[in-house]
Amino acid sequence: MSDSSNSSGEYLQENAAQSVAVYEQLKTSFDTGKTFDLSWRKSQLDALKRLLENESDALQDALYKDLGKCKTESWVSEIGFLLNDIEHTVKHLKRWAKPRKVSTPMAAQPGKSYIIAEPLGAVLVIGAWNYPLQLVLAPCIAAIAAGNCVLLKPSELAPATSALIQKLIPRYLDNSAIAVIEGGKAITTDLLALPWDHIFYTGGETVGKIVMQAASQHLSSVTLELGGKSPCLVERSADIAVTARRIVWGKWMNCGQTCVAPDYVVVEACVKDALIKAIKAEIREQYGKSPANSEDYGKIINARHLQRLESYLEGMNVISGGQVDHENCTMAPTLIENPPIDALVMREEIFGPILPIIATTQLSDMLPVIKAQPKPLALYLFTSSKTVEQRIVRQVSAGSVCVNDTIMFMTNPELPFGGVGTSGMGRYHGKAGFDELSHLKAVMSRKFWMDVKVRYAPFSSLKLAALKKLL
Ligand code: NAD
């Protein structure tokens, strides 16, 4: 179902009614207790795995339609990524779900203390368009693993993938507990009005605030996976050829429309020319002489975003690329040299194939500028110096840091993924996702057979002295 074609009152009422019906169905399902059962969770994760394996051709076609993603990229960053996530989750689920024993203080003896990961209930997942499959199904994996019911709302800006998700999920999964609704702003607004037990949102900061405001009406907990400008710092001791190769890979994957893509490069002036030369050579190596026409190079999601990207180039020193094809909605890999710090391209998240390169005498000169900006989702540093690595990893706050590579940290399910400050709140992937979508319920269980009266009134200085020792 799509809500974009009609804005009549009747139609909107229908939308709202559908949202309420699905919400109630999920709540009813949750109340049966079936999702608490680890075998139910595992069966759903196995079913999702079958979906991804059996339908990989159709999914790759949809991703190609929406974003011009080639098969390899679709596999690595969407389907294969999800299959790894499922495998890791199924392998560790029993251990994650076990009560976690903790020690009990002397004052509470005899007794034991433990933490139970309790499912939250009905979870709403709102996805973004740039990885339209991964960004709804990875939170879905965590939600199922943690024993929740879940409603998926894929991004309307990737319509082929969204429609396919809606078609396939009910075919493979238990639709009474895992459902999909398609649509844009109107349906999402209706959904956000409901008292979800948790809302997991991926997308931009502006809508992130809308989500958080809506959640506050019911005090629903939220995970906000947002974006921002992820800096990429290149220090003089870096291996320039490898650095350039890895920057090109991470920047132009999905045409730069990746939340953790290097947004801009800051390079020490003594290696700037070498780096630019190496990046240009790598673009040719990876995408050929006419990169925008390469089968391995994607397209911009829509004309509005292409226009936004074009506006970043106005008045800038474009040293490579810059070609735009409106008909096919593409922009070539583009390098800008030394844009002013207050230029539009340096104020907004680029989220496209433009890479500004800023030279600085020493990285340390730029740290105050970087630290004055909102905290990024990712920080990249290329250096061979342990001292530089330690200093920058400690000094600059970011959701994640990756030294001497770009984006690769996402392949490790042992690493929690999420932002800090304006780049988001909460984290997922692997156990972090399981914990994020669970309530970690504290339990203390005591015995009747010993009841030291020291904590009960009437109090005395002797009792107080004993309590000071015991508590
Ligand atoms: P988008 O346009 O797909 O919007 C995201 C979701 O919000 C969609 O499902 C959409 O239907 C919904 N939405 C849009 N407007 C709404 C409104 N007014 N009210 C309620 N819901 C609404 O995606 P986007 O915002 O263009 O995404 C790009 C941003 O997302 C970038 O900043 C990027 O860095 C960030 N992002 C972050 C991650 C991450 O994992 N942290 C991943 C991908 C993208």
Side-chain angles (χ1 to χ4, degrees), residues 126-131 135 153-157 183-185 188-189 192 201-205 207 210-211 225-228 258-260 304-305 349 351 377 417 423 428:
I126 304 171
W129 53 263
N130 57 331
Y131 289 86
L135 295 175
K153 209 301 288 170
S155 176
E156 73 282 13
L157 296 190
K185 182 179 166 187
T188 315
T189 307
L192 284 172
Y201 166 79
T202 303
E205 202 181 312
V207 177
I210 295 173
V211 170
E225 294 288 339
L226 311 178
T258 303
C259 56
V260 288
R304 180 171 62 84
H305 276 281
E349 178 184 356
F351 216 53
L377 190 55
F417 174 65
S423 55
Y428 72 134

Side-chain angles (χ1 to χ4, degrees), residues 38-54 83 86-87 89-91 141 144 172-173:
L38 282 193
S39 62
W40 180 88
R41 302 184 202 182
K42 197 172 163 300
S43 74
Q44 296 308 302
L45 293 171
D46 287 343
L48 191 54
K49 179 172 181 244
R50 274 198 305 282
L51 181 160
L52 292 165
E53 284 169 348
N54 296 351
L83 286 170
I86 293 174
E87 194 184 321
T89 303
V90 168
K91 188 170 161 199
I141 292 167
I144 294 172
Y172 283 82
L173 302 187

Side-chain angles (χ1 to χ4, degrees), residues 58-70 73-74 78 128-134 136 154-166 182 254-255 257 297-303 305 328-330:
L59 289 166
Q60 282 171 324
D61 286 349
L63 291 164
Y64 182 78
K65 262 189 209 147
D66 287 331
L67 287 143
K69 282 193 197 195
C70 65
E73 223 179 87
S74 289
E78 306 244 24
W129 53 263
N130 57 331
Y131 289 86
L133 186 68
Q134 194 222 105
V136 283
S155 176
E156 73 282 13
L157 296 190
T161 312
S162 174
L164 194 57
I165 291 172
Q166 186 173 45
E182 279 194 274
N254 201 23
C255 227
Q257 301 167 113
Y297 189 72
K299 65 183 177 84
I300 306 303
I301 188 73
N302 57 32
H305 276 281
N328 295 310
C329 218
T330 61

Side-chain angles (χ1 to χ4, degrees), residues 289-341:
K289 274 192 186 140
S290 176
N293 299 319
S294 161
E295 281 180 2
D296 298 330
Y297 189 72
K299 65 183 177 84
I300 306 303
I301 188 73
N302 57 32
R304 180 171 62 84
H305 276 281
L306 185 59
Q307 214 170 27
R308 174 182 66 79
L309 291 163
E310 274 184 286
S311 74
Y312 293 154
L313 301 183
E314 277 162 31
M316 294 295 116
N317 180 17
V318 176
I319 55 167
S320 178
Q323 301 85 352
V324 170
D325 176 344
H326 292 105
E327 206 179 310
N328 295 310
C329 218
T330 61
M331 178 185 266
T334 299
L335 301 178
I336 294 178
E337 194 173 344
N338 282 331
I341 289 298

Side-chain angles (χ1 to χ4, degrees), residues 398-449:
S400 305
V401 181
C402 190
V403 179
N404 295 336
D405 213 328
T406 58
I407 305 190
M408 280 304 284
F409 68 94
M410 300 279 286
T411 61
N412 185 354
E414 300 287 344
L415 286 174
F417 174 65
V420 53
T422 55
S423 55
M425 60 181 68
R427 54 222 82 250
Y428 72 134
H429 293 177
K431 182 168 178 291
F434 176 88
D435 284 351
E436 180 80 0
L437 291 165
S438 301
H439 164 55
L440 298 182
K441 185 159 76 179
V443 182
M444 180 185 273
S445 176
R446 301 221 46 223
K447 302 287 178 207
F448 289 119
W449 54 265

Side-chain angles (χ1 to χ4, degrees), residues 233-239 243 268 363 380-393 402-405:
L233 314 181
V234 182
E235 193 256 351
R236 67 193 69 198
S237 68
D239 178 323
T243 299
E268 291 197 325
L363 282 186
Y380 300 111
L381 168 67
F382 288 86
T383 181
S384 297
S385 158
K386 205 80 210 137
T387 319
V388 172
E389 175 174 339
Q390 281 172 352
R391 180 161 49 85
I392 289 181
V393 170
C402 190
V403 179
N404 295 336
D405 213 328

Side-chain angles (χ1 to χ4, degrees), residues 12-22 190:
L12 291 179
Q13 258 176 11
E14 207 180 283
N15 268 353
Q18 194 205 8
S19 305
V20 173
V22 175
D190 288 339

